[in-house]
Amino acid sequence: MKPIIIYDTTLRDGMQGEHISFGPGEKIRIAKRLDDIGVHYIEGGWPGSNPAAIRFFEMAKEVQWKQAKLSAFGSTRKPCIQADEDANLQALIAAETPAVTIFGKSWTLHVQDIMNNTLQENLAMIEDSVAFLKHHGREVIYDAEHFFDGFFENQDYALETLKAAVRGGTRTIVLCDTNGGTLPQDIETITRMVDLNISMYCDSLNQDQSIQIGIHTHNDCGLAIANSIAAVRSGAGMVQGTINGYGERCGNADLISIIPLLSIKMNYSCISPENLKKLRTLSRFVSEMANMTPQPQRPFVGRSAFAHKGGIHVSAIMKNPKAYEHMDPELVGNERRVLVSEQSGKSNIIYKAKELGIDLGSEDIDMQQIVSTIKTMEDQGYQFEAADASFKILLEKLANQFSSAFDLESFRVTIEKDKTHHCKSHATVKVCVNNQMEITAAEGHGPVSALDNALRKALGSFFPELNQMHLVDFKVRVIDGKDGTSAKVRVLIESRDEDHIWSTIGVSEDIIEASWQALSDSFLWKLNKRSLSEQTNNGVIV
């Protein structure tokens, strides 16, 4: 089983993505999770570019890394100066990381037209910079920027830049598809040519140690993952990428997909099976740190990756999951989900109930009535396929298994607007908890925000764990526009805490009523989850 080295650049290249930003403390937390999952190299940033990167490397010195090597990132020296005079190279040494990654120019267009440099000086910059860093005891990874574009324009010169890095002392050369425009078949052919050419060059230098080829791809044509796999097929032993594919423009190669492809589909030694099971939580953790909503359709780890909706599909997977699944979702820490909709049959309901931990086996439960009720509600505008939490609550109610943590007595929402000020929203909520009445009022940025704040205020003294829960998405859909402003609306709310993401739904002609339904279900699911956890810890559920 051939080993493949995983090199993560989320903390540098990933941060170049639009709306992506991590502070030094957040970068440390992410790096620790990457180390825990078994990533081999973690690129921490460019210490020569900003104080925040320097602060991260200072903090990183206090961390005991279990497996990963931390790498500082930078460029070759500037033209026409000595390597020891270059501030960027000095900053890389000061970062005190065991590995250093530097990039150099492979494309004559960049060397001559963008940098106004000479081709010979560019080669000297590469060799001098690698040699300087090696002299200071660093492992040097050389990123050949724009390599494939450069190869297409001037094959001989592109290869000369790699040879310069080899003469400097690097043992790892990474071919970069910086613009993301190369096709997989070209990646495969060129990587194979490079591997052979560099091996022959090392033989000519009488070097005993072989050169490892790496791949770094961008997703501008939607091919970053495919291009990374193509390079591995041609001999690349290192894959660079980011968690969730975050990165500049259309992003980088997504390690969350690449790792299981290599490990499960291609039988390469990448990370351990135990660590593979952490992929889903790692993906969501980094999404949380980036303040980005997790994509449900993300391969392998998304909520929809192993979701089944059609009744025929569900009936089949109840007999054998292989009928409609390419792998066991538990291998990457995911789970099988069955969606309930107007296309559902009895098999969907039974499977979904079992998945949610609801016992529908009692003779007192009318399954046909449950199916009929759900389909009627779907016809009225509910979409339970998008709201598992609300569906669980509904099933428990229909099966007489629901115990409510609180009951609404009433609520009132007022919105105030004058000529000179923005709208102000106020909400008053009256709820009953453990036979105690709680009446609270709160303001918010809109009526739903005010309701959310008032309900939290009412329940906070009873359930302090609600402080860990927050709303991450709020959607309103008009179900049928022919009735104009009196049309029914569907409200979908997505909430999350440190461990879970859940969705709830409400439907009404009144948008506030629909919002309340979704909002209260969100709180009830969270509180019922807490109650279930307490029972488990007390040994009631095994």
Side-chain angles (χ1 to χ4, degrees):
M1 185 184 291
K2 179 182 176 180
I4 299 294
I5 302 300
I6 299 299
Y7 180 110
D8 182 274
T9 179
T10 304
L11 304 182
R12 200 274 306 173
D13 224 354
M15 283 181 62
Q16 294 186 178
E18 193 171 6
H19 308 304
I20 305 291
S21 179
F22 304 119
E26 291 173 318
K27 290 173 69 172
I28 289 291
R29 291 181 65 190
I30 294 171
K32 286 181 177 180
R33 294 291 286 265
L34 294 170
D35 183 40
D36 177 67
I37 204 172
V39 166
H40 303 96
Y41 290 85
I42 301 170
E43 189 175 277
W46 190 333
S49 65
N50 61 80
I54 296 174
R55 174 61 180 151
F56 165 77
F57 286 111
E58 289 296 324
M59 295 170 66
K61 294 174 185 177
E62 306 300 320
V63 178
Q64 295 294 320
W65 304 101
K66 295 189 298 183
Q67 173 173 311
K69 286 186 179 180
L70 205 61
S71 181
F73 181 85
S75 66
T76 57
R77 68 165 172 82
K78 294 182 182 300
C80 303
I81 66 171
Q82 297 296 315
D84 58 5
E85 298 172 353
D86 188 86
N88 167 66
L89 295 180
Q90 293 290 354
L92 293 176
I93 298 299
E96 297 183 14
T97 55
V100 170
T101 303
I102 60 169
F103 73 91
K105 302 298 183 180
S106 305
W107 192 1
T108 54
L109 178 145
H110 270 263
V111 176
Q112 296 174 309
D113 297 353
I114 307 301
M115 295 179 63
N116 295 318
N117 198 5
T118 67
L119 298 182
Q120 194 59 39
E121 174 63 9
N122 182 59
L123 296 177
M125 290 161 57
I126 296 169
E127 183 174 350
D128 291 349
S129 300
V130 174
F132 173 80
L133 296 168
K134 288 287 292 184
H135 176 72
H136 282 80
R138 302 300 190 268
E139 176 186 352
V140 182
I141 298 167
Y142 178 69
D143 279 8
E145 189 186 42
H146 292 285
F147 179 78
F148 294 96
D149 293 307
F151 189 92
F152 285 124
E153 182 167 306
N154 189 329
Q155 174 179 327
D156 291 339
Y157 184 77
L159 290 171
E160 283 301 317
T161 65
L162 304 184
K163 294 173 184 177
V166 171
R167 290 194 299 273
T170 186
R171 292 296 176 263
T172 303
I173 291 173
V174 180
L175 311 181
C176 301
D177 185 30
T178 311
N179 285 352
T182 311
L183 299 179
Q185 61 267 30
D186 294 324
I187 293 278
E188 194 162 343
T189 300
I190 294 171
T191 302
R192 187 175 292 113
M193 288 178 61
V194 168
D195 195 18
L196 178 61
N197 193 286
I198 294 300
S199 294
M200 293 173 60
Y201 183 67
C202 290
D203 289 342
S204 71
L205 298 177
N206 295 318
Q207 286 191 356
D208 295 331
Q209 191 171 356
S210 62
I211 301 297
Q212 176 173 252
I213 302 298
I215 185 69
H216 177 115
T217 62
H218 285 254
N219 204 41
D220 298 74
C221 293
L223 295 171
I225 295 173
N227 282 343
S228 297
I229 297 301
V232 170
R233 281 169 46 85
S234 293
M238 172 186 282
V239 176
Q240 294 190 358
T242 64
I243 301 302
N244 298 329
Y246 296 148
E248 193 171 20
R249 303 183 312 276
C250 302
N252 287 45
D254 185 359
L255 292 178
I256 293 295
S257 289
I258 288 173
I259 289 171
L261 283 170
L262 294 172
S263 300
I264 299 171
K265 300 292 187 178
M266 301 176 70
N267 200 34
Y268 285 108
S269 174
C270 188
I271 66 174
S272 70
E274 293 77 17
N275 286 334
L276 272 174
K277 295 178 181 179
K278 302 175 184 177
L279 278 181
R280 180 171 178 261
T281 55
L282 175 64
S283 173
R284 291 190 172 182
F285 175 78
V286 175
S287 293
E288 174 76 13
M289 290 292 98
N291 197 27
M292 302 289 282
T293 303
Q295 295 179 11
Q297 285 80 29
R298 190 177 299 284
F300 294 101
V301 300
R303 292 186 73 243
S304 300
F306 299 94
H308 306 277
K309 181 174 179 179
I312 294 175
H313 289 209
V314 175
S315 179
I317 66 166
M318 290 179 70
K319 298 173 183 176
N320 190 337
K322 290 183 179 179
Y324 285 98
E325 290 178 353
H326 67 94
M327 58 170 279
D328 181 355
E330 292 184 3
L331 293 176
V332 290
N334 209 341
E335 59 187 0
R336 183 175 300 113
R337 296 173 60 238
V338 169
L339 309 178
V340 178
S341 71
E342 74 282 353
Q343 300 181 39
S344 302
K346 185 177 178 180
S347 59
N348 290 61
I349 307 300
I350 294 173
Y351 188 98
K352 192 67 180 176
K354 183 178 179 181
E355 178 186 293
L356 296 172
I358 302 171
D359 182 11
L360 297 181
S362 171
E363 294 181 359
D364 298 331
I365 297 175
D366 187 342
M367 278 300 304
Q368 195 58 46
Q369 180 61 38
I370 290 177
V371 173
S372 176
T373 299
I374 290 170
K375 290 198 172 188
T376 297
M377 294 180 71
E378 290 271 353
D379 187 58
Q380 293 171 353
Y382 286 87
Q383 278 190 349
F384 290 112
E385 65 186 78
D388 274 1
S390 286
F391 182 70
K392 183 177 190 296
I393 292 170
L394 174 63
L395 268 188
E396 289 175 337
K397 288 179 177 178
L398 292 173
N400 296 316
Q401 298 175 16
F402 183 73
S403 177
S404 182
F406 66 90
D407 294 300
L408 173 71
E409 295 296 319
S410 64
F411 71 75
R412 175 180 295 176
V413 178
T414 59
I415 302 173
E416 185 179 348
K417 168 71 177 168
D418 60 32
K419 292 182 178 180
T420 57
H421 296 90
H422 295 295
C423 285
K424 296 181 180 179
S425 296
H426 309 264
T428 303
V429 172
K430 182 178 181 181
V431 294
C432 181
V433 185
N434 298 332
N435 296 318
Q436 291 183 239
M437 287 296 177
E438 284 288 323
I439 303 175
T440 57
E443 295 181 337
H445 301 291
V448 180
S449 173
L451 272 175
D452 182 26
N453 293 337
L455 186 56
R456 287 175 183 275
K457 195 173 178 182
L459 300 176
S461 60
F462 298 96
F463 311 110
E465 63 271 22
L466 290 177
N467 290 328
Q468 302 169 3
M469 163 191 163
H470 57 279
L471 181 149
V472 294
D473 202 6
F474 177 85
K475 298 184 179 73
V476 180
R477 300 287 185 269
V478 175
I479 295 173
D480 189 344
K482 69 178 187 297
D483 293 326
T485 55
S486 61
K488 275 187 178 180
V489 296
R490 178 190 304 121
V491 171
L492 289 165
I493 287 179
E494 189 170 274
S495 305
R496 77 188 311 171
D497 58 19
E498 292 181 352
D499 301 311
H500 302 94
I501 299 174
W502 63 99
S503 299
T504 52
I505 191 171
V507 174
S508 175
E509 291 86 357
D510 188 314
I511 189 173
I512 304 301
E513 166 66 19
S515 299
W516 169 261
Q517 292 174 17
L519 187 66
S520 60
D521 272 6
S522 182
F523 278 77
L524 287 169
W525 187 92
K526 167 69 176 175
L527 296 175
N528 281 4
K529 193 75 175 176
R530 170 199 62 89
S531 177
L532 184 65
S533 176
E534 287 181 352
Q535 293 176 38
T536 304
N537 293 336
N538 292 332
V540 177
I541 296 175
V542 295

